[in-house]
Amino acid sequence: MKYKLPECCKIFTVFFITVSFTVNAYSQIIYQPYSYQFYQKLNSDIYSTGSALHTAIKPYCIADSALKLKYDSLLHTDLHTPKKSWLHRILFDQHMVDIKKEDYTFYFDYITDLQLGREFQAGTSTNLNTRGYQAGGTIGSKFFFYTSGFENQGKFANYVQNYINTVKVVPGQAPDRSLIGQSSIKNSSDWSYVTSMIGFAPSKNLSFELGQDKTFIGDGYRSVLLSDYAANYPLLRLKADFGKVQYMAMWAYMDDQRAVTFDLNKSGPSNRRKWGVFHYIDWNVTNKLSAGFFNALIAAETDDKGNRHGFDFNYINPVLFVPSLGPGGPIPDHALFGFNGKYKVLSKTTVYGQLLFDQSTGSSDTRTAYQLGFRGADLFKVNTLNYLFEYNTASPYTYANQNPVVSYANFSEPLAHPFGANFQEWLGIMNYSVGKFDFQGEVIYSRYGLNTNSLNYGKDITQADNVSLPAGNASTTQGLATSLKYAEGTVSYMLNPKFNLRVELSGLYREETNNLSTTKTTLITIGLRSSFRNLYHDF
């Protein structure tokens, strides 16, 4: 069967090319990696009723917008201390290397993340030893780049180590080389983590970004559409901004280390690969109300015998909600779609929500996930006192598939909520900054159903959703009823905002309980930390 590029795709292509070469250049772009800890400091600006900014697609590219002034104030970009020593400046005020010319810019920083902790329940110590870098810059007003890389070794609290032993991946980062026979380090996790992006913005309306990173869609702390929880993946991201409408198309290349492998080349077996295609369009109906529409498609690169998936032009179409016809084959594609919205009920106070539908092949059940929350800034008129409260849930088997290689996951980690499916979660986060001090508290209560008696109750989205299922209709939290209580408090003192260098003290308590066991964790950690990235351990 031959596939013809839809006429609407041709129209979009001509339109994008026209926009690219008819709009004047604009000021240099800053690619800001996504981190909740940093981004929530922008709340008062991006969620103000006077702002018409699109907020759902992260990371942000910061250029000509009202956000630039707030961003500059947080990073102290206008700070100059020439009378201080070079060591003082790079520790407290500036990048290690910072070059600003009329036609290009460049900065470079050495990154460290050194932590020591004590887990009191097990009577063990934890540690993290990270050495890395970040670098970024611009060439002219249309090209930008950002990269960061980290070499890591660490020992973790009991529940995190159990996760790593099961998934073989350090949460949200990369495979643990010590568990897959690629490291000589003993009694410690060993992994690398790299982000690398280059971008071309022919106009302030359009940008193309290529590299290895993550994308987060939503206005909450979690996302049931697409989050930054799983490990980084190669991607090509197109973003277009037409005032009230913002559009994103992304093509990603992902791994599944659990699927049946075969010899891809003479070097031997390798992970199975899959393609992800994602579209999101955000419409600012008014300054207060926005509505977003999302769809995603996961396609296996090959079947279990190494036969390549047939090609479908819809995999490269830039149009939202054009369905994949698919050339068929032993592993059909996995399609999902959903909605994202927010309403600014008051100045600096926003209600937000998401709804996802999973069109998994072979399923007759309605599989959904949704989110409802509210967030705001300057609570009780206290400047920089920010807060967020939200509820998340996903019905059993959501994001899963009868062919696990096309589950909604990368390296067996969920692309949406870290709990996978078959859960309910309530969480709250408050943050307060004063001077160089930053205080954050987080609480979570969750209920979910674990597998038991060799039955799949739908929480692990990497398991086939048509094998070893319990009798009867599926219901959320079915299976081994388990509750999770989590609380964490963090105090940090900022040393250099340019690369988020800070001294940090944190304490957490976690308790997971069901009829078979109770796992408790009480952990105190102190460290010298830096970088802009989310490192999740609240699961």
Side-chain angles (χ1 to χ4, degrees), residues 83 187 214 234 238 266 298 347 375 377 413 429 487 495 497:
K83 295 183 179 180
N187 303 317
K214 309 176 184 183
L238 179 154
K266 293 181 180 180
I298 307 297
S347 180
R375 66 184 302 166
E413 294 188 298
I429 302 175
L495 297 176

Side-chain angles (χ1 to χ4, degrees), residues 329-464:
I331 302 182
D333 302 337
H334 184 182
L336 309 95
F337 69 96
F339 305 91
N340 181 79
K342 72 175 187 290
Y343 183 75
K344 301 172 185 175
V345 293
L346 298 169
S347 180
K348 304 178 185 179
T349 302
T350 299
V351 175
Y352 60 88
Q354 295 183 330
L355 176 61
L356 176 126
F357 297 93
D358 185 350
Q359 297 178 300
S360 185
T361 302
S363 170
S364 60
D365 300 328
T366 300
R367 299 179 176 184
T368 60
Y370 69 87
Q371 174 188 87
L372 183 63
F374 64 96
R375 66 184 302 166
D378 303 342
L379 183 63
F380 306 127
K381 298 184 178 180
V382 178
N383 190 37
T384 72
L385 180 56
N386 299 329
Y387 63 92
L388 176 148
F389 299 97
E390 75 182 33
Y391 171 75
N392 299 286
T393 186
S395 61
Y397 313 106
T398 306
Y399 310 111
N401 192 274
Q402 64 185 17
N403 300 292
V405 70
V406 294
S407 65
Y408 201 59
N410 180 39
F411 278 115
S412 301
E413 294 188 298
L415 288 171
H417 197 289
F419 290 166
N422 193 24
F423 71 88
Q424 297 175 325
E425 178 193 46
W426 297 261
L427 70 85
I429 302 175
M430 296 192 71
N431 182 281
Y432 177 58
S433 299
V434 54
K436 293 188 175 183
F437 283 97
D438 189 88
F439 304 87
Q440 181 165 299
E442 177 183 3
V443 293
I444 296 174
Y445 177 72
S446 182
R447 298 187 302 177
Y448 42 81
L450 300 178
N451 292 351
T452 184
N453 298 325
S454 300
L455 294 177
N456 176 13
Y457 284 97
K459 185 178 188 297
D460 184 352
I461 68 172
T462 65
Q463 293 192 12

Side-chain angles (χ1 to χ4, degrees), residues 88-105:
H88 182 279
R89 292 198 303 271
I90 64 170
L91 284 177
F92 301 106
D93 301 320
Q94 299 177 3
H95 295 294
M96 181 174 290
V97 177
D98 195 359
I99 301 172
K100 295 181 179 179
K101 301 293 184 179
E102 185 176 348
D103 53 351
Y104 73 93
T105 65

Side-chain angles (χ1 to χ4, degrees), residues 73-370:
S73 69
L74 290 172
L75 267 65
H76 303 164
T77 58
D78 57 347
L79 185 64
H80 298 286
T81 55
K83 295 183 179 180
K84 301 292 185 179
S85 68
W86 176 79
L87 181 61
H88 182 279
R89 292 198 303 271
I90 64 170
L91 284 177
F92 301 106
D93 301 320
Q94 299 177 3
H95 295 294
M96 181 174 290
V97 177
D98 195 359
I99 301 172
K100 295 181 179 179
K101 301 293 184 179
E102 185 176 348
D103 53 351
Y104 73 93
T105 65
F106 175 78
Y107 67 86
F108 174 87
D109 295 301
Y110 174 77
I111 298 291
T112 187
D113 201 341
L114 305 174
Q115 298 182 54
L116 292 174
R118 184 66 177 175
E119 204 284 282
F120 294 98
Q121 298 293 333
T124 58
S125 296
T126 64
N127 64 72
L128 179 63
N129 178 10
T130 295
R131 298 84 58 206
Y133 71 91
Q134 74 163 6
T138 60
I139 302 173
S141 60
K142 296 184 178 181
F143 291 91
F144 56 94
F145 62 91
Y146 175 85
T147 180
S148 61
F150 308 91
E151 275 294 327
N152 316 266
Q153 289 81 42
K155 296 181 180 180
F156 299 96
N158 52 9
Y159 74 98
V160 178
Q161 191 59 56
N162 290 339
Y163 175 96
I164 295 172
N165 292 341
T166 300
V167 184
K168 304 295 189 294
V169 175
V170 178
Q173 297 189 65
D176 184 345
R177 291 185 293 233
S178 67
L179 295 179
I180 58 177
Q182 297 179 358
S183 173
S184 60
I185 294 177
K186 304 297 183 182
N187 303 317
S188 180
S189 293
D190 179 24
W191 72 100
S192 297
Y193 179 85
V194 176
T195 296
S196 186
M197 296 294 296
I198 58 174
F200 171 57
S203 77
K204 69 178 182 180
N205 303 97
L206 184 64
S207 68
F208 301 88
E209 300 160 14
L210 174 68
Q212 180 153 311
D213 198 3
K214 309 176 184 183
T215 300
F216 185 101
I217 295 179
D219 292 283
Y221 177 67
R222 312 285 202 190
S223 174
V224 300
L225 302 181
L226 180 63
S227 80
D228 64 330
Y229 175 69
N232 279 3
Y233 41 82
L235 63 87
L236 170 63
R237 192 164 50 211
L238 179 154
K239 290 194 291 188
D241 194 330
F242 308 112
K244 287 184 174 293
V245 176
Q246 185 184 50
Y247 168 81
M248 182 203 77
M250 184 176 76
W251 298 266
Y253 196 43
M254 302 181 186
D255 285 70
D256 189 327
Q257 82 275 33
R258 292 186 180 180
V260 175
T261 59
F262 46 84
D263 286 349
L264 293 175
N265 50 52
K266 293 181 180 180
S267 64
S270 180
N271 291 335
R272 290 278 293 282
R273 300 294 180 89
K274 56 188 175 183
W275 292 96
V277 183
F278 306 85
H279 298 99
Y280 180 75
I281 187 166
D282 191 59
W283 175 32
N284 280 346
V285 183
T286 68
N287 276 13
K288 290 186 175 182
L289 176 65
S290 71
F293 306 90
F294 169 85
N295 71 347
L297 185 140
I298 307 297
E301 185 177 48
T302 64
D303 64 18
D304 291 347
K305 296 181 180 180
N307 300 311
R308 288 191 173 273
H309 193 298
F311 183 73
D312 181 357
F313 271 113
N314 283 305
Y315 296 158
I316 61 172
N317 85 74
V319 185
L320 184 74
F321 285 143
V322 173
S324 170
L325 301 177
I331 302 182
D333 302 337
H334 184 182
L336 309 95
F337 69 96
F339 305 91
N340 181 79
K342 72 175 187 290
Y343 183 75
K344 301 172 185 175
V345 293
L346 298 169
S347 180
K348 304 178 185 179
T349 302
T350 299
V351 175
Y352 60 88
Q354 295 183 330
L355 176 61
L356 176 126
F357 297 93
D358 185 350
Q359 297 178 300
S360 185
T361 302
S363 170
S364 60
D365 300 328
T366 300
R367 299 179 176 184
T368 60
Y370 69 87

